[in-house]
Amino acid sequence: MQTFSFRCELPNGIHARPANALEQQIANFQSEITLFNKSKSRQANAKSVLALVGADVTMGDECYFQIEGADETIAYDELKLFIEQEFMHCDSPIVHEQATEQQVLPIFLSRSTSPILRGKGVSKGIAKGQVVFIRSPDLQHLAQAESDGSLIQQSAALKNALHLAREKLRLDIQSVEGEIANILEAQSQLLDDEDVEACLLGQNQARNEVEALAMAIEELSLPFRESSSEYLRQRELDIKDLGLRIAINLSIKDMIQLPELKENSIVVCQGLLTPGQLLTLQSHYLQGVVMAQGAEKSHTVILAQTNAIPLLCASGDVIETLKNAHSLLLDSRYDALVVEPDTRAENWLTIEKEKQSCLLLLNEQNDPDISVLTPSLVLLDKTMMSKDDVIKALTDNLEINGRTDSGSQVESAIWQREEIFSTALGFSIAIPHCKSLAVKHSSISVLRLSEELAWGDNVDVKLIIMLTINGNEENQHMRIFSSLARKLMHESFREQIMTAESPTTVVTLLKEELEL
């Protein structure tokens, strides 16, 4: 017998993928190989993916392998080399969320008259669709409606269902690549594990095959549920997913079949959506997903992120409220659900989609001009319906041009100033302004309207010159503001801006007059 010790350096511990890599490394050795987790007093057959995961090995745990058999020497050498040189690369680093607090609603969206519910956006994006409400299947409940069957009948049905599930999963793996393939491959290894089959066929107290499956999934889920690692606890959803993959080949198929999406849809799941269910639902009609809390780091979320599907986790009360909803705007970037979106919410969606398209183009630019005033910051003869529209258009344009990472934060800073006093100066001109750390590069933005609109205090404006100053700059804010205010007192200066034929002309004029 030979042994060697090691400390687990995997960021997420030994979950399915590292366990699969380890099992494949030693599967062909005749020796019995056992993993001992000294930190948690657990042990596992190292040739079983499920058993390895059940050992609850997390980062920093002290472990050792015990190897005993005819080829123990060569097994020892190869396994030790694998642990020392390759095992640490079988996992990805933990992604730490930068913020756990709920995102503040942008001013523009917050003024929607539609109900706005909140959750936790875990796959970022924005989408709108008709609500498709589904429930997470309860196998134990479904089993109660099934007829009793003999153990022989149960065994035959379960063996066949397991075989079909394994074959289907292998076919699914062949049609995908990258992260999706990695996740499905790990699930396939779990489904192929001998311990899974033994557990499935060993439920002798079950009334029928569905109850046997429910009991087996509960038993197999237990090590995950009791893990000290949140990451591993959320992998319980993978076991439930395997259960559904098997169940779809039993008599309850019609009761767990997912609906076919026939129009742009937001799927709302009462419970947790499994990775396999998400892949089954995925089509060009699937616009977004809302599901229960408790799986924020699950493979379902990872798949949603990989496929750019907006996903938000919400409380049971929120999901219950959505049961009777017809249309839903999901903006998981701001943890928001707009129920039966009104015109303002629809406008928000349109504007944000356009901004995203512009941001994609910005990312392709190698060296954008970030001087205080450029033609891209000048918008001429635009039609706007309200002051809200103007401020959002200008602050979004800052984000599009790389002047801020969050147009919404700058928008909020502008409105904080507006609530103190109106920035209308007379002469149909307003100068909204702010000084904020959300501003990366101080900027002057110009928007000339095709028609005047109300700015507040019974004042209409046609020309808006917005100043946004980086919060770390000292006197830039007041110097530009004072100089601009003085220049605007001169009719000739105002006339030149009002009649300028191009953004370049406006930029040249302002730079000369303000000595920028």
Side-chain angles (χ1 to χ4, degrees), residues 104-125:
V104 176
L105 275 181
I107 297 293
F108 190 94
L109 182 59
S110 69
R111 292 176 177 171
S112 166
T113 58
S114 298
I116 299 179
L117 307 177
R118 309 306 301 275
K120 175 66 175 176
V122 290
S123 178
K124 304 301 183 182

Side-chain angles (χ1 to χ4, degrees), residues 151-338:
L151 288 178
I152 294 176
Q153 291 173 324
Q154 289 180 34
S155 179
L158 289 171
K159 282 183 178 179
N160 180 62
L162 179 60
H163 170 73
L164 293 174
R166 286 169 170 171
E167 290 297 313
K168 177 65 165 60
L169 190 48
R170 292 189 187 102
L171 289 174
D172 289 345
I173 293 171
Q174 294 175 12
S175 64
V176 295
E177 57 186 15
E179 184 68 13
I180 301 174
N182 292 336
I183 291 173
L184 294 186
E185 182 62 42
Q187 286 195 326
S188 180
Q189 291 298 323
L190 283 174
L191 200 57
D192 287 341
D193 196 297
E194 293 180 357
D195 288 352
V196 171
E197 183 168 356
C199 182
L200 188 63
L201 301 179
Q203 305 300 326
N204 296 329
Q205 303 302 314
R207 293 174 45 251
N208 52 56
E209 59 267 22
V210 179
E211 186 173 61
L213 175 59
M215 293 168 65
I217 294 304
E218 176 64 21
E219 183 178 331
L220 294 169
S221 297
L222 196 59
F224 292 84
R225 193 179 308 147
E226 294 180 344
S227 172
S228 59
S229 163
E230 181 184 1
Y231 186 91
L232 292 177
R233 287 197 299 274
Q234 295 203 12
R235 293 301 169 269
E236 179 186 351
L237 198 56
D238 290 338
I239 301 299
K240 294 185 182 299
D241 197 32
L242 299 184
L244 293 180
R245 286 182 177 275
I246 297 170
I248 202 71
N249 300 304
L250 296 175
S251 57
I252 58 172
K253 174 180 179 179
D254 292 341
M255 288 178 276
I256 63 173
Q257 194 85 38
L258 292 169
E260 180 183 356
L261 304 182
K262 298 181 179 180
E263 58 184 336
N264 287 347
S265 304
I266 303 292
V267 171
V268 178
C269 180
Q270 190 173 48
L272 298 177
L273 197 69
T274 69
Q277 287 179 305
L278 179 63
L279 292 176
T280 299
L281 287 166
Q282 188 174 343
S283 71
H284 67 278
Y285 288 126
L286 179 63
Q287 300 299 302
V289 173
V290 181
M291 69 177 187
Q293 297 169 332
E296 290 78 5
K297 298 179 181 178
S298 66
H299 279 145
T300 302
V301 171
I302 294 173
L303 288 176
Q305 294 168 344
T306 301
N307 291 318
I309 301 171
L311 192 154
L312 182 140
C313 294
S315 68
D317 289 343
V318 167
I319 289 177
E320 188 68 23
T321 301
L322 297 176
K323 186 184 297 184
N324 298 317
H326 299 288
S327 179
L328 193 63
L329 191 157
L330 163 62
D331 195 336
S332 53
R333 303 168 306 166
Y334 295 103
D335 303 332
L337 295 163
V338 185

Side-chain angles (χ1 to χ4, degrees), residues 34 122 138 258 289 337 347 349 358 364 404 470 479 485 506:
T34 306
V122 290
D138 183 343
L258 292 169
V289 173
L337 295 163
N347 289 342
L349 176 66
C358 292
E364 296 175 0
T404 177
N470 177 275
R479 185 188 70 78
V506 173

Side-chain angles (χ1 to χ4, degrees), residues 39-52:
S39 297
K40 298 191 176 76
S41 300
R42 293 192 181 189
Q43 67 183 67
N45 173 12
K47 295 182 180 180
S48 166
V49 173
L50 191 66
L52 285 169

Side-chain angles (χ1 to χ4, degrees), residues 84-99:
E84 292 175 348
Q85 296 188 5
E86 298 183 41
F87 196 44
M88 68 186 73
H89 303 299
C90 294
D91 196 12
S92 302
I94 296 174
V95 178
H96 294 284
E97 296 182 356
Q98 294 183 346

Side-chain angles (χ1 to χ4, degrees), residues 395-429:
T395 53
D396 278 354
N397 196 44
L398 289 177
E399 185 175 345
I400 290 168
N401 285 280
R403 309 308 181 97
T404 177
D405 291 330
S406 174
S408 293
Q409 289 186 27
V410 181
E411 178 191 24
S412 179
I414 289 289
W415 275 109
Q416 287 176 19
R417 175 69 66 175
E418 289 292 324
E419 288 171 358
I420 298 173
F421 58 83
S422 173
T423 53
L425 296 182
F427 309 111
S428 298
I429 298 171

